[in-house]
Amino acid sequence: EVQLVESGGGLVKPGGSLRLSCAASGFTFSSYSMNWVRQAPGKGLEWVSSISSSSSYIYYADSVKGRFTISRDNAKNSLYLQMNSLRAEDTAVYYCARDSPGLMGVIDYWGQGTLVTVSS
Amino acid sequence: EIVMTQSPATLSVSPGERATLSCRASQSVSSNLAWYQQKPGQAPRLLIYGASIRATGIPARFSGSGSGTEFTLTISILQSEDFAVYYCQQYNNWPLITFGQGTRLEIK
């Protein structure tokens, strides 16, 4: 069974930093591109960042470019999101999400999410 | 950026009836369109990709259609568990994938 379990969320002050983690299991993690997608309270879904299976290709939404860094450790079956210079508008549930095999951009599995709150 | 617009924002339908949800893209996305269902407090679930292909385990009462800029998700006979928020998403402009703002399907 595919499982994606996020951790690392919490309350942080504006300008602060946070590192999210996602532990993957039930599939060959090193074979899949992965994503972070966020959802502000009561709002819709927003793609944040993607990383290819071997970390060769990394992409960011303009809203987080230069502030967030996505990475992965295939030996540990883990995905990460380093978030710096956090702003109030970064407040959201952050989902770790797997690309469907052979269908880049189609997300077939999602974690349950971790809440990040940016507030003074 | 490709903007996805869903209508209506809220749809009220009785159980057992048909629900039709719409999604429009600001430019052509070919058939690179997916639909997701999200229930309160849960992560989204993939329903449809390729505009009309049901994902694994998705009941046949869910169907998708359209291409280019106009898309439709139809739920033929609404069950109680189908009341949720539905999002369309384009992946034609991958990696810059974008979602619609969602349609809330509520019990009439």
Side-chain angles (χ1 to χ4, degrees), chain A residues 12-64:
Chain A
V12 61
K13 289 181 169 53
S17 298
L18 214 54
R19 189 194 196 209
L20 306 183
S21 299
C22 171
S25 61
F27 65 103
T28 304
F29 180 72
S30 59
S31 297
Y32 288 82
S33 293
M34 298 294 296
N35 305 272
W36 288 99
V37 177
R38 68 185 180 183
Q39 186 170 36
K43 302 297 185 182
L45 300 164
E46 180 189 16
W47 169 77
V48 172
S49 182
S50 295
I51 185 168
S52 63
S53 58
S54 60
S55 305
S56 298
Y57 301 98
I58 288 175
Y59 307 97
Y60 298 99
D62 285 346
S63 57
V64 306

Side-chain angles (χ1 to χ4, degrees), chain B residues 24-88:
Chain B
R24 174 178 292 178
S26 61
Q27 64 189 75
S28 176
V29 298
S30 186
S31 294
N32 296 315
L33 189 285
W35 290 92
Y36 300 85
Q37 176 194 67
Q38 187 178 35
K39 297 179 180 179
Q42 296 185 16
R45 176 175 73 145
L46 176 65
L47 298 176
I48 300 281
Y49 64 93
S52 61
I53 303 170
R54 280 189 302 278
T56 302
I58 301 303
R61 64 180 183 274
F62 290 91
S63 62
S65 63
S67 66
T69 62
E70 300 285 342
F71 300 89
T72 300
L73 174 69
T74 301
I75 311 171
S76 58
I77 302 173
L78 276 167
Q79 308 292 311
S80 57
E81 62 266 29
D82 299 335
F83 292 95
V85 178
Y86 291 83
Y87 293 96
C88 63

